[in-house]
Amino acid sequence: MFFLEFKRECVSYLAKNWVKERNRIAVRVFVCSSWLFPSVNICITQCRVLCAADELITSVPDKKDSLCQQDDQSQGGDIDIFRAGSTLRDIWCLVHSLMPLCDSAHSACVSRTFLRSWRCHPKLIFTEETLGLKRTEARDFTSRVNQILKNHSDTGVKILEFVFDDRNNVNTCHLNSWLQKAVTPGIEKITLFLPWRYREEYNFPCSILLDGRGNSIWYLDLTNCAFHPMVGFDCLRSLTKLRLYGVCITGDELGHLISNCFALEELQVWCCMELICSTIPFWLQRLSCLTVSECDMLRVIESTAPNLTTLDFFGEPVQLVLRESSKVKHLKVGYSYTPNAVSYAITKLPSIAPHLKTLAIYSSSEVFSEASNYYIPVFMTCKKECD
């Protein structure tokens, strides 16, 4: 049973100090004194919470009024700091959120107070490391995640990450159920890192973002899956950073995805092999940074985003149409196997982006040219400061 997996190391971990600067308030929690181990019921008998900012905010002066005083109604000396008020409850939840996932889950065995805090834990980061899995236990990934999510309240999740590989043998049905349970209103960051073979067999479900559940997301990072948003997709209005790596998505679908992301500031597209034409609409007023890399089928990048200032492109030369995005100041291009790419970039790109300040060119297949009177060896980087 999970309860029996609690280790003494967790006790020493809880005895450490946590310091978190947030709104100029430092929170220190000291957990100390005797630890009782009757059977598997672990009890904390003393606890002090100290809050400090520019001056002491609150203190716990005597044992009578102490937060450590045992709740007469709780069993086995359980600490109930929730009755002390919402401020202390928020502090305790904050401290709990700073702990690694595995230790945080273990601490839920200490008391009902910890358990209540765990059930609304804001960070659910599922990797072999955070789950405490050894290489020989890789196939236990699914059971561990199921057990953790079963004990979670389905509310309060701010950060959600799934990172696993082939040896974890995760079924896509389980992954869908995890996302359905954990993606709730108020979530802010989603990271999904899947093995290569999931690229075509797993469709990221757009349905989990409906009913307001995607409105609070500001960071979305998807790796090796398919994503097919439909016309009128309008679920990511707070999104500021989008990263797609190895995602099966067409140019039209990418347009559906970002067309209503009015807060978008940074867009990264890597190794999306179905992408042929990428069009960035002019109403993405906040978009300032665009990265497109190794999208082998890509032929055209067209952008009318008025405040785009940084553009990074790596791959075979494509048609670059900036229009209202001609204010680009920093342009970085990398051509892998195109001869004379440096000559092309130096002569053509500054005219496409007349306000260019920095042009960085990476090429691995340049040859000597008497006409241009320069020689760029393999893997040499050429940088030109433009007036």
Side-chain angles (χ1 to χ4, degrees), residues 12 19 37 45 68 77 128 137 139 141 172 178 189 209 223 250 258 274 297 302 307 357 363 384:
S12 61
V19 178
F37 294 88
T45 60
C68 332
E128 286 189 1
E137 302 172 323
R139 289 182 176 271
F141 189 96
T172 56
W178 297 341
K189 295 180 65 177
L209 304 175
T223 299
T250 66
I258 66 175
E274 295 185 4
M297 301 300 294
E302 181 177 356
N307 295 309
K357 289 185 176 181
S363 178
K384 180 181 178 180

Side-chain angles (χ1 to χ4, degrees), residues 37 65 93 114 127 176 305 308 310 313 363 385:
F37 294 88
D65 297 323
C93 289
F114 280 136
T127 68
N176 276 336
L308 185 66
T310 302
F313 172 80
S363 178
E385 295 293 333

Side-chain angles (χ1 to χ4, degrees), residues 8-269:
R8 192 177 183 88
E9 286 79 357
C10 182
V11 174
S12 61
Y13 188 93
L14 290 171
K16 294 180 181 179
N17 296 348
W18 287 282
V19 178
K20 179 69 175 179
E21 294 292 340
R22 181 172 293 180
N23 299 327
R24 300 182 64 198
I25 296 178
V27 179
R28 280 190 175 89
V29 173
F30 303 93
V31 181
C32 58
S33 200
S34 65
W35 303 85
L36 307 177
F37 294 88
S39 171
V40 289
N41 293 315
I42 299 108
C43 310
I44 304 175
T45 60
Q46 291 185 6
C47 174
R48 290 196 299 274
V49 178
L50 176 66
C51 304
D54 295 333
E55 60 182 1
L56 190 64
I57 296 176
T58 184
S59 62
V60 189
D62 54 61
K63 185 173 181 180
K64 181 178 180 180
D65 297 323
S66 173
L67 295 176
C68 332
Q69 187 174 1
Q70 297 181 10
D71 187 352
D72 295 336
Q73 297 179 352
S74 48
Q75 299 177 357
D78 204 10
I79 308 171
D80 193 353
I81 65 170
F82 285 80
R83 62 178 180 159
S86 60
T87 300
L88 291 174
R89 179 167 61 249
D90 292 342
I91 291 172
W92 206 246
C93 289
L94 171 61
V95 170
H96 212 170
S97 72
L98 298 178
M99 300 168 63
L101 181 69
C102 192
D103 288 338
S104 186
H106 283 159
S107 69
C109 304
V110 172
S111 68
R112 288 200 298 269
T113 295
F114 280 136
L115 180 59
R116 283 191 288 257
S117 177
W118 162 245
R119 283 176 175 166
C120 59
H121 196 280
K123 298 179 183 178
L124 297 180
I125 301 176
F126 298 108
T127 68
E128 286 189 1
E129 181 180 0
T130 60
L131 294 175
L133 291 175
K134 300 177 181 179
R135 181 172 291 272
T136 56
E137 302 172 323
R139 289 182 176 271
D140 293 336
F141 189 96
T142 297
S143 60
R144 290 284 180 91
V145 175
N146 282 336
Q147 199 163 24
I148 288 174
L149 289 180
K150 181 180 178 180
N151 292 321
H152 202 273
S153 65
D154 302 346
T155 59
V157 178
K158 299 294 184 183
I159 299 174
L160 177 65
E161 293 186 18
F162 289 102
V163 180
F164 56 86
D165 55 31
D166 282 324
R167 68 173 179 267
N168 297 130
N169 195 31
V170 175
N171 187 285
T172 56
C173 293
H174 285 123
L175 183 55
N176 276 336
S177 67
W178 297 341
L179 290 171
Q180 191 69 37
K181 182 178 178 65
V183 177
T184 55
I187 192 168
E188 297 177 355
K189 295 180 65 177
I190 297 179
T191 299
L192 189 61
F193 189 97
L194 308 181
W196 177 269
R197 68 179 177 87
Y198 285 75
R199 175 174 293 197
E200 295 184 354
E201 71 177 63
Y202 180 70
N203 272 316
F204 182 81
C206 297
S207 60
I208 66 170
L209 304 175
L210 300 177
D211 302 324
R213 286 180 289 178
N215 288 340
S216 55
I217 297 174
W218 64 266
Y219 179 88
L220 180 61
D221 186 348
L222 302 179
T223 299
N224 292 331
C225 65
F227 195 16
H228 303 299
M230 304 295 288
V231 176
F233 183 82
D234 186 18
C235 303
L236 296 169
R237 286 181 169 265
S238 299
L239 192 67
T240 59
K241 184 173 182 179
L242 174 63
R243 182 182 182 273
L244 303 176
Y245 187 99
V247 174
C248 292
I249 188 170
T250 66
D252 289 341
E253 290 167 342
L254 180 60
H256 301 158
L257 174 59
I258 66 175
S259 60
N260 290 307
C261 297
F262 302 109
L264 191 63
E265 298 175 1
E266 183 177 350
L267 172 61
Q268 297 183 18
V269 183

